Amino acid sequence: MENSRRQSLLPSFLYSPTSSFSSLTPKTLAVPETTNVPNNNLIIPAPNEPGKIEMYSPQFYAACTFGGILSCGLTHMAVTPLDLVKCNMQIDPAKYKSISSGFGVLLKEQGPRGFFRGWVPTLLGYSAQGACKFGFYEFFKKYYSDLAGAENAAKYKTLIYLAGSASAEVIADIALCPFEAVKVRVQTQPGFARGLSDGLPKFVRSEGPMGLYKGLVPLWGRQIPYTMMKFASFETIVEMIYKHAVPKPKNECSKSMQLGISFAGGYIAGVFCAIVSHPADNLVSFLNNAKGATVGDAVKKIGVLGLFTRGLPLRIVMIGTLTGAQWGIYDAFKVFVGLPTTGGVAPAVPADSEVAKV
């Protein structure tokens, strides 16, 4: 009864028969037939059993994509007030001198509702980004593991994490960029627009459709190092926690303990993410705020040191919390649909193995 009720809350495609997706699965990712395989620990229940999804099947990637939507969309929307203050500190440091004074200025000028200005493009943009980021990361991690082979995939697993996350983020940022452009303009120019519905057409009329993508290269500069650090450091940190801090194997830990480790690993990874991606974050905010601005203009006005330090303490707090929460939500959803949490084991089961173990 519990499994039935849980399944009813999920999109039906997560539990549809695998045969309907067979034509969509690349050969390198196809899971071999298991009719002749003994019923041992290499087998998980078929996807049509409540709560279980076959590893590396189309349903697996769909679940990871949906988990990414929840993970990134909800968390970024929740920290909209922090993001709002951070963007304004980057654009106008004379007015927004500190975190506390920044909140005070916003409260005085715009009232409590002003703290969530730009939440719609934030929710939609980062939901789209999260879908691509997590879904394609799982895809590329498996794909590159298969290309490398079992021995090399285990030996060079950190390179697998880095390559998979970078490939996924290139795609994810194309989905995010238009929403990010409108969000920054709405948040840093009071009176420009109330939100996405009126801000998007106004932005396009002002700078043309391609203006939505003028910040794409700096966005890649911010997000690709951020995501590479996010995934590679998370996988490494979680593996180290299970190896050195937890007195029993991962598969013997309770799900709540595994999710706690996911949050802790994500928070630590988030601190590193904030530091390596902060200069590009300042550039993105500057370019999306000023019409016709260039990277050279940003460097002249902000300064090289300012690119690395302006707004950094707030961003460390924001990104640390954000990344920890994202990994917690993502892995909680995976557990909810019967999948294992991320990290603590080899990057992927190679193509020559039969079926993944939960």
Side-chain angles (χ1 to χ4, degrees):
M1 177 64 71
E2 178 62 26
N3 283 337
S4 176
R5 181 163 58 251
R6 181 174 66 178
Q7 179 179 344
S8 67
L9 297 175
L10 298 173
S12 60
F13 63 78
L14 293 181
Y15 294 95
S16 57
T18 55
S19 59
S20 62
F21 291 91
S22 58
S23 62
L24 301 177
T25 308
K27 285 187 176 180
T28 56
L29 298 177
V31 180
E33 293 293 329
T34 60
T35 54
N36 297 323
V37 179
N39 186 19
N40 54 27
N41 62 359
L42 290 177
I43 300 175
I44 64 171
N48 58 358
E49 296 184 29
K52 299 297 180 182
I53 295 177
E54 191 176 11
M55 292 290 287
Y56 312 117
S57 65
Q59 293 97 326
F60 168 78
Y61 294 114
C64 294
T65 298
F66 192 76
I69 291 173
L70 296 177
S71 171
C72 292
L74 295 178
T75 52
H76 276 277
M77 185 185 70
V79 298
T80 297
L82 285 172
D83 188 43
L84 188 61
V85 173
K86 183 265 300 179
C87 286
N88 280 284
M89 287 176 67
Q90 292 171 331
I91 297 302
D92 191 356
K95 183 176 181 180
Y96 298 88
K97 298 179 180 179
S98 66
I99 298 172
S100 57
S101 67
F103 276 110
V105 170
L106 285 174
L107 181 63
K108 181 179 179 181
E109 293 186 351
Q110 302 176 35
R113 293 183 62 182
F115 288 130
F116 280 90
R117 195 169 73 248
W119 71 269
V120 174
T122 298
L123 174 63
L124 296 181
Y126 283 94
S127 292
Q129 186 212 39
C132 298
K133 185 198 297 277
F134 282 91
F136 280 109
Y137 172 68
E138 298 287 1
F139 175 88
F140 284 118
K141 184 169 72 169
K142 176 69 166 64
Y143 179 71
Y144 292 143
S145 295
D146 289 345
L147 287 180
E151 183 178 348
N152 287 330
K155 185 177 181 180
Y156 301 108
K157 57 189 174 184
T158 300
L159 293 179
I160 298 289
Y161 303 146
L162 292 171
S165 57
S167 300
E169 191 60 36
V170 169
I171 300 170
D173 288 344
I174 295 173
L176 169 65
C177 194
F179 297 98
E180 182 76 358
V182 175
K183 176 189 79 75
V184 171
R185 189 68 61 89
V186 168
Q187 290 181 335
T188 58
Q189 292 187 11
F192 172 75
R194 296 187 303 275
L196 181 66
S197 60
D198 57 336
L200 179 60
K202 189 172 182 180
F203 192 105
V204 172
R205 285 195 301 269
S206 173
E207 303 199 26
M210 294 309 297
L212 293 168
Y213 284 94
K214 74 174 183 178
L216 180 59
V217 173
L219 189 62
W220 276 332
R222 179 186 81 183
Q223 290 297 130
I224 291 176
Y226 166 89
T227 300
M228 293 171 72
M229 180 66 74
K230 174 179 180 175
F231 284 88
S233 62
F234 171 81
E235 298 260 17
T236 303
I237 290 165
V238 167
E239 183 178 347
M240 291 176 65
I241 291 174
Y242 281 114
K243 185 175 181 180
H244 300 292
V246 178
K248 52 187 175 181
K250 176 182 176 181
N251 60 2
E252 295 180 12
C253 297
S254 66
K255 294 301 182 184
S256 59
M257 177 180 287
Q258 292 183 31
L259 292 176
I261 291 172
S262 292
F263 177 82
Y267 197 99
I268 297 170
V271 174
F272 295 123
C273 292
I275 294 171
V276 301
S277 63
H278 194 64
D281 184 63
N282 272 312
L283 287 176
V284 170
S285 295
F286 185 90
L287 293 175
N288 285 326
N289 177 69
K291 181 178 180 180
T294 65
V295 173
D297 296 333
V299 174
K300 286 181 181 179
K301 183 165 184 177
I302 300 175
V304 175
L305 182 62
L307 288 175
F308 282 87
T309 59
R310 182 180 292 181
L312 180 60
L314 178 56
R315 193 158 183 267
I316 287 176
V317 174
M318 186 180 83
I319 297 300
T321 306
L322 197 70
T323 307
Q326 285 177 355
W327 278 114
I329 292 171
Y330 179 66
D331 275 350
F333 182 77
K334 289 176 72 176
V335 168
F336 186 72
V337 298
L339 291 170
T341 58
T342 309
V345 292
V349 176
D352 53 3
S353 295
E354 294 296 335
V355 179
K357 176 184 174 183
V358 171

